[in-house]
Amino acid sequence: MPERVRAVRTEIAAAAARAGRNVADITLLAVSKAQPASAVRAAAAEGLCDFGESYLNEALEKLNALEALGLTWHFIGRLQANKTRPIAERFQWVHGIDRLHIAQRLSAQRPVHAPPLNVCIQVNLAGEDRKAGVPQAELAGLAAAVGSLPRLRLRGLMCIPPVETEPSHQRAWFARLHELQAALNAQGAGLDTLSMGMSGDFESAILEGSTLVRIGTALFGSRGPAQ
Ligand SMILES: *Cc1c(COP(=O)(O)O)cnc(C)c1O
């Protein structure tokens, strides 16, 4: 674990340097789905404080077990309308907003004493049927509606682009998400987050302006055949 964390941090720093960016502007989100609480504890001991989970029941077990650590939890999985309440109550971030209905539920269910829930809208850049995310043509409307919900804070955009091995192809998708964010900001959206880049493509994402990389296997190793 310490070696993997060090290696990922070194790569992030190298990519930031190549892009002429400040490494402090890039958050390392450790994707701990399908990893035990002990792995999260080990990562926290290395100074990581942001963790991403995709499966609610598994996540809640870890949140309960590790409550004393004061970690920041991000829900990065698919959102189901009947499971929004525990997400609104227990997480600080949600990255996969792609429908107004879900955002409205999260806003209504966010406890009044908690700060607003940070959210990113997921964009389906390539129009892939089996992937979540709002189509590009519907992004502006959804962003305006989500941005006006009282208990949410719209922070930015998220994408899971098609798998590309060629860095220039990876970068083209990430550049597209950056352009979409810039267009919304030109209209006053005030977005500060680009949630893009995973174990296989985070260097390309950082070169195109990512402010938050979501990294699982490069930090924790394989999740096994089920994933
Ligand atoms: C699993 C997952 C990741 C991490 O993927 P790795 O390839 O293991 O780094 C990032 N983002 C989302 C949305 C995921 O579901």
Side-chain angles (χ1 to χ4, degrees), residues 54 76 84 102-103 109 124 140 144 152 163 184 212 216:
S54 301
I76 62 171
T84 49
I102 297 278
Q109 292 166 343
N124 189 341
L152 302 187
V163 175
L184 291 172
L212 185 151

Side-chain angles (χ1 to χ4, degrees), residues 6 19 23 25 35 37 47 55-57 61-62 64 89 96 138 142 148 158-159 172 178 194 197 201-202 210:
R6 208 171 304 130
V23 72
D25 294 336
Q35 302 293 346
Y55 310 109
L56 186 59
N57 292 342
E61 276 179 34
K62 280 178 251 183
N64 291 336
E89 291 176 350
E138 293 165 32
L142 182 62
S148 72
M158 179 271 222
C159 70
H178 198 166
L194 272 178
D201 57 14
F202 68 87
S210 173

Side-chain angles (χ1 to χ4, degrees), residues 7-225:
V8 168
R9 282 186 168 138
T10 301
E11 287 180 55
I12 289 172
R18 224 187 119 190
R21 300 182 53 202
N22 186 344
V23 72
D25 294 336
I26 301 159
T27 297
L28 170 53
L29 173 61
V31 176
S32 47
K33 66 183 179 197
Q35 302 293 346
S38 57
V40 176
R41 205 179 277 286
E46 297 303 316
L48 294 177
C49 35
D50 287 88
F51 290 86
E53 292 282 341
S54 301
Y55 310 109
L56 186 59
N57 292 342
E58 177 201 320
L60 292 174
E61 276 179 34
K62 280 178 251 183
L63 266 71
N64 291 336
L66 302 170
E67 203 154 20
L69 296 183
L71 303 172
T72 299
W73 293 96
H74 301 237
F75 191 81
I76 62 171
R78 282 206 184 237
L79 292 157
Q80 293 171 255
N82 62 347
K83 292 188 180 171
T84 49
R85 183 174 293 278
I87 295 173
E89 291 176 350
R90 302 294 303 278
F91 285 77
Q92 285 86 33
W93 283 75
V94 174
H95 290 243
I97 301 287
D98 62 0
R99 282 161 290 165
L100 182 57
H101 171 61
I102 297 278
Q104 286 168 330
R105 288 181 66 92
L106 289 168
S107 181
Q109 292 166 343
R110 182 68 170 169
V112 286
H113 53 79
L117 181 62
N118 298 295
V119 300
C120 292
I121 292 177
Q122 182 174 355
V123 185
N124 189 341
L125 292 173
E128 294 171 282
D129 283 341
R130 44 171 218 91
K131 275 192 191 158
V134 67
Q136 291 184 43
E138 293 165 32
L139 172 61
L142 182 62
V146 171
S148 72
L149 291 170
R151 304 294 294 129
L152 302 187
R153 183 165 167 219
L154 180 58
R155 297 292 298 269
L157 304 181
M158 179 271 222
C159 70
I160 308 176
V163 175
E164 307 273 11
T165 48
E166 183 63 44
S168 66
H169 296 164
Q170 295 173 348
R171 289 184 62 168
W173 292 118
F174 296 133
R176 181 70 193 136
L177 197 71
H178 198 166
E179 282 170 18
L180 292 169
Q181 188 206 41
L184 291 172
N185 280 343
Q187 306 293 321
L191 306 181
D192 62 9
T193 301
L194 272 178
S195 170
M196 58 187 198
M198 304 176 25
S199 292
D201 57 14
F202 68 87
E203 181 184 17
S204 295
I206 289 168
L207 291 172
E208 296 299 340
S210 173
T211 67
L212 185 151
V213 289
R214 308 179 311 268
I215 299 184
T217 48
L219 285 172
F220 294 106
S222 164
R223 288 183 289 271

